[in-house]
Amino acid sequence: MSTALRPSACPGLLRIVQALDGGICRIKLDGGSISADQADAVANAAEQFAGGAIEATNRANLQIRGIGQQSAALIDSLLAAGLGPRTAAGDDVRNLMLSPAAGIDRQMRVDTRALAEQILDTLQSHPRFHELSAKFAVQLDGGEALAMLEHPHDVWLSAFERDGETLLAFGLAGCPTDRAVGAVALENGHALVVAALELFLELARPEQTRMRHLLDELPILAFLEQLRARLPIKAISAWQRVRAVDDLHIGAHPQHTDNRVYIGAVPPLGRLDPTMMRGAAQLARLFGDGHLRFTPWQSLLLPNVKATDAVQVLAGLKQLNLLTEPTDPLSTIIACTGSAGCGKGLADTKHDARILATLLHQAQRVHLSGCPRSCAAAHRAPATLLAVSPGRYDLYFRDATQPGFGALHARNLTIEAAATLLDARSRSPLDA
């Protein structure tokens, strides 16, 4: 495979990006899924050719950190495990997010996996699409109860039923909880994605790398009018995506088939070591279908487990130091790499996050960011601690009327002071 790649700040499997703690390799997983044997290959690569740190990302991918001089050997080992793109140029554009419970969710309207495979194949094989930014992303939502609906995407599709027909609502530069701009028949889902991406590339200037950049200048109705010339689009009104259920990515939950469950576990702060990865892979072989699925909550699922085996699997995951209870404060805290591994980080966020978890009286969804780039969270968290210096943070609370992290609540807090304010907020009736 040719490894001639365009310059980018985003790591890929074939493009190692340097950080303070060594090189970073990002492994994009089709639909977030990885076989147990492939998981072992990732564990081996991290152990043999890097520092052993494996990260689950907020796009349901994996990263290996701390890569030194053996980057070529690491890449070769991952390619041999079938974890790479078909062509080097196709790696960047494999940005298609599904529900981690695609095909098994009890609430799903449609199994999105076949359409996802078709879209991914086109993204990799269509040379024009290789011009897209490495951040340009598509979401395919089958109506699952377990779905990340808050991450913005350049194009999103969401399944629903109208008059007995399954349709795909769609939108641009937003989320499935936004107002849809139209709908297409299920069989036209692939054609819609192709047409939307081709039209974007025709209309956008080189510096307009994301759909939102184009729509800042071009009215969305003008884009939609040109899209209608390429495929049939149905008008849509009064449709609203049903909100997903919190905490379905952790613990045991029933699937759409009787006597089968999937089991979710959270690596503390999204980071696994090789022992955790190999142990989870072995549990998937023994009790599941031989696959793991990673999630946008920086966690993993074991699908297709017999309900009678759930207790044993949960115990096995706990022995690996994976979190399986949504009441564990560390299971709901996310943190970027911070100053221990990133030159832009102003504080050691992962260290501070562990302290915060011991101080909070109940689990809360909190995001610690070492700088304003917000690498750990693609969505706006209910509470964000933005580092301003080592051990000091500004506290923001989500506010739909304000951009970025939301409303600034307090400045220059220690972790202890932040914990006090977060606990007070959680007890407030106004926050219920």
Side-chain angles (χ1 to χ4, degrees):
M1 178 183 293
S2 169
T3 55
L5 298 173
R6 60 183 175 176
S8 175
C10 289
L13 189 145
L14 305 174
R15 179 178 48 245
I16 309 296
V17 171
Q18 291 301 312
L20 282 183
D21 56 350
I24 304 172
C25 171
R26 182 171 297 158
I27 306 159
K28 294 188 176 179
L29 307 178
D30 292 352
S33 182
I34 187 171
S35 73
D37 289 349
Q38 288 174 327
D40 283 345
V42 173
N44 293 340
E47 192 170 64
Q48 294 174 23
F49 309 121
I54 305 163
E55 292 180 330
T57 78
N58 58 37
R59 295 285 182 185
N61 294 315
L62 292 172
Q63 289 184 167
I64 295 176
R65 299 190 69 94
I67 301 165
Q69 299 300 313
Q70 294 181 286
S71 59
L74 178 139
I75 291 169
D76 287 344
S77 71
L78 296 174
L79 289 174
L83 288 165
R86 292 212 188 98
T87 64
D91 193 29
D92 278 346
V93 296
R94 293 191 296 155
N95 301 324
L96 175 62
M97 195 166 82
L98 309 182
S99 162
I104 61 173
D105 192 281
R106 298 181 85 186
Q107 185 181 287
M108 67 177 183
R109 301 288 185 181
V110 65
D111 184 345
T112 58
R113 291 174 296 177
L115 177 54
E117 184 177 355
Q118 191 180 12
I119 293 170
L120 281 168
D121 180 66
T122 300
L123 286 171
Q124 293 184 83
S125 60
H126 195 322
R128 184 77 196 279
F129 292 156
H130 300 167
E131 301 171 26
L132 291 167
S133 162
K135 295 183 180 296
F136 197 98
V138 179
Q139 180 171 14
L140 181 54
D141 165 40
E144 298 89 354
L146 176 60
M148 170 51 79
L149 301 177
E150 295 183 290
H151 286 188
H153 284 75
D154 295 276
V155 180
W156 60 262
L157 298 82
S158 186
F160 73 105
E161 291 182 11
R162 185 172 70 184
D163 300 329
E165 180 184 13
T166 300
L167 301 173
L168 292 168
F170 71 92
L172 306 169
C175 312
T177 51
D178 296 338
R179 183 174 178 271
V181 298
V184 295
L186 183 60
E187 60 268 23
N188 285 335
H190 176 259
L192 171 68
V193 172
V194 170
L197 269 54
E198 287 180 340
L199 184 56
F200 169 81
L201 288 169
E202 290 170 18
L203 297 175
R205 299 191 305 274
E207 66 272 20
Q208 293 173 319
T209 58
R210 304 296 299 275
M211 185 67 76
R212 67 176 185 272
H213 301 150
L214 175 63
L215 297 181
D216 282 344
E217 292 185 3
L218 179 72
I220 195 168
L221 291 177
F223 188 96
L224 192 61
E225 184 179 353
Q226 295 194 49
L227 205 55
R228 287 183 189 278
R230 303 183 182 211
L231 79 162
I233 293 175
K234 302 174 186 288
I236 183 172
S237 62
W239 173 82
Q240 184 65 51
R241 171 59 161 99
V242 175
R243 287 276 178 179
V245 181
D246 288 342
D247 301 332
L248 286 181
H249 64 284
I250 184 168
H253 299 279
Q255 296 184 181
H256 73 307
T257 50
D258 290 340
N259 304 316
R260 285 289 188 274
V261 298
Y262 69 79
I263 297 176
V266 179
L269 303 175
R271 185 164 286 186
L272 302 100
D273 60 31
T275 300
M276 285 179 177
M277 184 71 91
R278 292 192 190 101
Q282 185 63 6
L283 288 170
R285 287 190 190 94
L286 293 174
F287 298 103
D289 61 6
H291 287 78
L292 299 172
R293 299 187 186 189
F294 284 85
T295 85
W297 294 270
Q298 296 172 269
S299 62
L300 61 87
L301 303 185
L302 276 72
N304 295 308
V305 174
K306 291 180 181 177
T308 51
D309 290 332
V311 171
Q312 192 171 351
V313 173
L314 285 165
L317 292 167
K318 288 178 184 177
Q319 287 179 347
L320 295 168
N321 295 317
L322 292 160
L323 308 172
T324 59
E325 299 286 347
T327 54
D328 187 322
L330 198 54
S331 73
T332 55
I333 297 175
I334 54 177
C336 67
T337 299
S339 58
C342 176
K344 291 184 170 60
L346 298 178
D348 188 345
T349 49
K350 287 197 183 295
H351 173 266
D352 293 340
R354 288 182 178 275
I355 295 174
L356 179 65
T358 67
L359 297 171
L360 292 174
H361 288 94
Q362 65 183 51
Q364 297 187 50
R365 288 186 290 160
V366 185
H367 166 216
L368 282 78
S369 190
C371 79
R373 294 186 304 164
S374 187
C375 293
H379 65 289
R380 189 181 302 170
T384 296
L385 288 168
L386 177 63
V388 293
S389 64
R392 297 274 179 165
Y393 295 82
D394 289 346
L395 174 61
Y396 293 81
F397 289 122
R398 181 165 56 193
D399 184 335
T401 66
Q402 298 197 34
F405 297 121
L408 178 62
H409 183 73
R411 290 188 181 275
N412 200 31
L413 299 172
T414 64
I415 284 296
E416 292 77 11
T420 299
L421 289 175
L422 287 165
D423 273 336
R425 173 88 168 189
S426 70
R427 292 191 298 269
S428 169
L430 296 177
D431 195 47

